[in-house]
Amino acid sequence: MTNEQTILALASLAQSTRLDTFKLLVAHEPDGLAAGEVSKALGVPHNTLSSHLAILSHAGLISSTRYSRSIVYRANLGRLQDVIVYLLKDCCGGRSEICAPLMADLVPCCPPKETADV
Amino acid sequence: MTNEQTILALASLAQSTRLDTFKLLVAHEPDGLAAGEVSKALGVPHNTLSSHLAILSHAGLISSTRYSRSIVYRANLGRLQDVIVYLLKDCCGGRSEICAPLMADLVPCCPPKETADV
DNA sequence: GTCATATGTCGAGAATAATCGACATATGAA
DNA sequence: TTCATATGTCGATTATTCTCGACATATGAC
């Protein structure tokens, strides 16, 4: 993960239609959603959405597979993780005391083991 | 943390000078760094940097305090945490199986307890 | 007060991004 | 082949963002 790749990913998510798109695709993991269904769900013209999907895709945040006439998009959670790790790396680099409390707050949201009681 | 606040924070970090600024301030926690020193360190004109600092500040990612003629900026790691939690909330909302592996990778970077062996 | 230092604000030009109509491609059905 | 559906691409317009010179403010020294 380079500085540039991180900026690309952050910029991709820093736009309301795209953030909504990404959230929608995350909510539909692991099945994914066809471009047309995203377009309909968000009330965005298909061509406008198409360019947003291309931007998210170029940033590596989503991927696509064609099934007959539809192209199904899926969120790439691994990429989201890469971005988050990159952002945290700076504060954790040699000084874990700084972001330890940050992590402590994160863990109850997503327990690393399968102690999911949410 | 609203959708809008998240977009504001993401957009603030999605620009190379601002990402560099934020990283520099994180590296200088908890002392902070004067605006002029950031300007010098990054080789950015003071007025250009000033507007970037204002944007980061407006997004809540940094804060400032005046000391005599200098204004010292500090990274607000809590806000970074808020952004990350917001992004993860969607994948963890009721479905922790999705981002549990994500968290598992995050934890070794920043141990939630003081088992810092890095 | 005057001067120097540190930072912020304004405004205009250049660059970049968002939107959407019109057209193009890809797949499958008849 | 022709038609309908699903999606992508192009191009022009509008909106937003980045940059930096010039000017303004704020603090402290003399």
Side-chain angles (χ1 to χ4, degrees):
Chain A
M1 209 60 186
T2 67
N3 222 322
E4 263 186 41
Q5 288 175 312
T6 304
I7 287 175
L8 207 60
L10 291 171
S12 299
L13 295 175
Q15 204 278 342
S16 64
T17 301
R18 289 197 295 265
L19 185 55
D20 289 344
T21 299
F22 185 72
K23 285 168 69 176
L24 188 64
L25 292 179
V26 167
H28 283 267
E29 273 296 285
D31 303 326
L33 213 54
E37 298 188 73
V38 176
S39 175
K40 206 184 302 171
L42 301 181
V44 176
H46 86 276
N47 58 348
T48 299
L49 186 79
S50 180
S51 77
H52 286 308
L53 287 171
I55 289 168
L56 284 166
S57 194
H58 183 234
L61 286 163
I62 63 175
S63 59
S64 60
T65 316
R66 180 180 279 276
Y67 291 110
S68 175
R69 274 181 287 196
S70 300
I71 295 182
V72 172
Y73 285 87
R74 283 192 57 187
N76 181 3
L77 294 170
R79 190 65 163 195
L80 178 63
Q81 172 183 334
D82 290 344
V83 173
I84 292 172
V85 168
Y86 183 87
L87 290 176
L88 289 178
K89 220 176 43 189
D90 284 308
C91 61
C92 298
R95 298 142 32 95
S96 67
E97 78 281 2
I98 289 178
C99 73
L102 197 155
M103 283 302 300
D105 253 44
L106 237 50
V107 170
C109 155
C110 298
K113 307 242 170 179
E114 57 267 65
T115 16
D117 53 349
V118 185
Chain B
M1 208 60 185
T2 68
N3 221 322
E4 263 186 40
Q5 289 175 311
T6 305
I7 286 175
L8 207 60
L10 291 171
S12 298
L13 294 175
Q15 203 278 342
S16 64
T17 301
R18 289 196 295 265
L19 185 56
D20 289 345
T21 298
F22 186 71
K23 287 168 68 177
L24 188 64
L25 292 180
V26 166
H28 282 267
E29 272 296 284
D31 302 325
L33 214 54
E37 298 188 73
V38 176
S39 175
K40 206 184 302 172
L42 301 181
V44 177
H46 85 278
N47 58 346
T48 298
L49 186 79
S50 180
S51 76
H52 287 308
L53 287 170
I55 289 168
L56 284 166
S57 195
H58 184 234
L61 286 164
I62 63 174
S63 60
S64 60
T65 315
R66 178 180 280 275
Y67 290 110
S68 175
R69 276 181 285 195
S70 299
I71 295 181
V72 171
Y73 285 88
R74 283 193 56 186
N76 181 3
L77 293 171
R79 191 63 163 196
L80 178 63
Q81 172 182 334
D82 290 343
V83 174
I84 292 172
V85 169
Y86 183 88
L87 290 176
L88 289 178
K89 220 176 42 190
D90 285 307
C91 59
C92 299
R95 298 145 30 95
S96 68
E97 78 281 3
I98 289 177
C99 73
L102 198 155
M103 283 303 299
D105 252 45
L106 237 50
V107 170
C109 155
C110 299
K113 308 244 169 178
E114 59 266 63
T115 18
D117 53 350
V118 185

